[in-house]
Amino acid sequence: MDRFISFSGGVESTTMCVLYGKGAKAIFCDTGWEHEELYNRLDYVEQQLKVLHNGDFELIKIIPEVKLTSRITKEKVVVNKLQDYIKHYRFFPNQLARFCTREFKIQPIDNFLKSKGECELMIGLNVEEAEKREGNHEKIKSVKYSYPLVDDDLDRDDCIEILEKYGLNPNFPPYMSRGGCKGCFFKGKKEYRAMVHLSPKEIQEISDWIENNSTEII
């Protein structure tokens, strides 16, 4: 049975790759709007884990294919980036409408797993998050869903300790404390202030994109 790890680049998913990654494949789904720091980390983590597991590890990067109906031509179109989805609906994701996670993370991974037959997907909830098992996953009958950090009684502090041992603790900049996506709705004023000082190129990119696309539709 093929074994896969749902990988975000963060603490828990990296810990799973360290502890359970030998012979497994990590899956990262790219929204197209991730911070440069995250893209750089993906390459670094993949290299280090291949060394750790003697080459018996793989990081698969999925590009979403989200189907929409053009509001101009009424034809079917496929978008690969979250920004284009937002432009189409002229609506940003929020806590009540988390289509970013659903359409650009969970669904593409589900589509990928459907073609793999009987397989296992390891999900990075730590023991403090055990009550969140009932969530967006566990929908594909051919997939065995597992929560190895919960099963091994590992909390976030345990995960950080493990990653520091291997030099793989993320240590992301403050503006990524709530996630790897540039336009994440979880980001607050503190995160965007940090971007102004630590990543001015990216904050300018976001500002320009919002200004240039405020009236455009697909």
Side-chain angles (χ1 to χ4, degrees):
M1 178 185 291
D2 288 335
R3 296 163 52 242
F4 298 97
I5 296 172
S6 181
F7 185 70
S8 67
V11 170
E12 282 80 7
S13 64
T14 305
T15 301
M16 289 198 302
C17 290
V18 169
L19 297 179
Y20 323 110
K22 186 173 180 60
K25 299 175 183 178
I27 309 173
F28 174 79
C29 200
D30 186 359
T31 67
W33 215 8
E34 314 291 341
H35 284 289
E36 193 64 30
E37 283 272 352
L38 182 56
Y39 289 123
N40 292 337
R41 176 167 170 78
L42 294 179
D43 295 335
Y44 176 75
V45 169
E46 182 177 20
Q47 292 170 7
Q48 295 303 307
L49 288 168
K50 282 184 176 180
V51 172
L52 177 63
H53 296 309
N54 297 316
D56 195 7
F57 175 82
E58 182 181 353
L59 175 58
I60 299 171
K61 300 172 185 176
I62 296 178
I63 304 298
E65 294 184 353
V66 182
K67 296 180 181 179
L68 303 172
T69 300
S70 171
R71 297 169 70 178
I72 298 175
T73 66
K74 305 303 179 183
E75 296 178 345
K76 295 292 184 181
V77 296
V78 174
V79 297
N80 308 113
K81 297 181 178 181
L82 177 58
Q83 307 97 297
D84 292 334
Y85 192 99
I86 293 171
K87 184 193 301 185
H88 174 80
Y89 286 107
R90 304 171 76 176
F91 185 74
F92 270 83
N94 56 58
Q95 291 187 351
L96 298 178
R98 296 184 62 175
F99 56 80
C100 48
T101 301
R102 182 185 68 250
E103 299 288 350
F104 287 85
K105 291 291 184 180
I106 294 172
Q107 191 59 53
I109 290 177
D110 283 351
N111 292 339
F112 173 82
L113 293 174
K114 286 176 182 177
S115 66
K116 300 303 176 181
E118 298 289 331
C119 62
E120 177 182 1
L121 178 66
M122 290 176 268
I123 300 170
L125 297 182
N126 65 52
V127 70
E128 298 166 313
E129 303 171 310
E131 70 279 0
K132 297 180 181 179
R133 285 191 182 204
E134 295 298 328
N136 294 305
H137 292 285
E138 305 198 8
K139 293 183 178 179
I140 305 175
K141 292 182 178 179
S142 60
V143 178
K144 173 187 175 183
Y145 297 89
S146 64
Y147 304 83
L149 299 178
V150 175
D151 295 339
D152 289 343
D153 199 34
L154 297 175
D155 61 21
R156 188 172 181 83
D157 288 340
D158 294 326
C159 292
I160 291 173
E161 183 178 347
I162 291 167
L163 295 184
E164 287 181 344
K165 176 182 177 181
Y166 290 95
L168 287 171
N169 193 27
N171 290 320
F172 286 132
Y175 57 82
M176 290 178 64
S177 63
R178 303 303 300 272
C181 182
K182 294 176 186 175
C184 182
F185 61 84
F186 280 121
K187 280 182 169 57
K189 291 181 179 179
K190 290 183 179 179
E191 285 79 20
Y192 283 110
R193 287 196 195 101
M195 284 183 68
V196 170
H197 296 287
L198 300 176
S199 187
K201 180 180 178 181
E202 289 188 325
I203 195 69
Q204 186 62 51
E205 175 191 325
I206 294 172
S207 177
D208 291 344
W209 186 88
I210 292 174
E211 181 178 352
N212 294 335
N213 292 282
S214 60
T215 59
E216 291 184 22
I217 58 175
I218 296 176

